[in-house]
Amino acid sequence: VQLQASGGGLVQAGGSLTLSCAASGRDVNLYSMAWFRQAPGEGRKFVTVKSYRDSRSYYADSVKGRFTISRDSAKNTVYLRMNSLKAEDTAVYYCAASPYYSYSDLTSMIKYDFWGQGTLVTVSS
């Protein structure tokens, strides 16, 4: 699976942005699809995932209620809608695909086989 993330940019605090992750090579419905992010000077952290098995979505506490992950099967694309953005959301955002489906597995980077190249989101305060 090849993943291509896009949609990052500069946005003011309180604003919104939608990231896209276009997949090729395999059907995204065969994988749990996630977003991770890496802020400057920090490690890569889990943001959200949609399990392929039951389409349930899981979110990190820091983004719950503000971010929404969705999947368009016809376009083989996964989206991350980000509302009420804060300065601390500034990071490079990565999409990833995993053959696992349980939440306990899906928050761990090592459970993901495929990664996109990342897209930078900068939130100005």
Side-chain angles (χ1 to χ4, degrees):
V1 180
Q2 292 78 46
L3 303 176
Q4 180 73 34
S6 62
L10 175 63
V11 62
Q12 288 189 332
S16 299
L17 205 60
T18 298
L19 306 182
S20 301
C21 177
S24 59
R26 293 292 298 275
D27 185 348
V28 291
N29 291 313
L30 300 177
Y31 294 90
S32 294
M33 298 297 296
W35 290 92
F36 286 74
R37 67 185 181 186
Q38 186 166 10
E42 298 184 9
R44 198 170 298 186
K45 298 179 180 178
F46 169 79
V47 175
T48 180
V49 64
K50 183 175 283 292
S51 173
Y52 78 83
R53 189 172 188 180
D54 55 11
S55 292
R56 289 187 66 179
S57 300
Y58 303 96
Y59 298 90
D61 288 343
S62 58
V63 306
K64 203 171 292 183
R66 299 189 298 123
F67 289 13
T68 303
I69 187 171
S70 61
R71 176 163 46 199
D72 186 330
S73 298
K75 296 183 178 180
N76 218 28
T77 298
V78 175
Y79 301 96
L80 179 64
R81 175 66 176 178
M82 305 183 293
N83 295 327
S84 303
L85 282 162
K86 306 175 181 180
E88 51 263 43
D89 294 318
T90 294
V92 177
Y93 284 72
Y94 299 89
C95 59
S98 172
Y100 294 86
Y101 57 83
S102 296
Y103 174 71
S104 58
D105 289 316
L106 293 174
T107 58
S108 172
M109 287 177 53
I110 64 173
K111 299 297 185 180
Y112 289 81
D113 293 344
F114 307 100
W115 291 84
Q117 85 287 4
T119 184
L120 176 62
V121 173
T122 303
V123 184
S124 62
S125 56

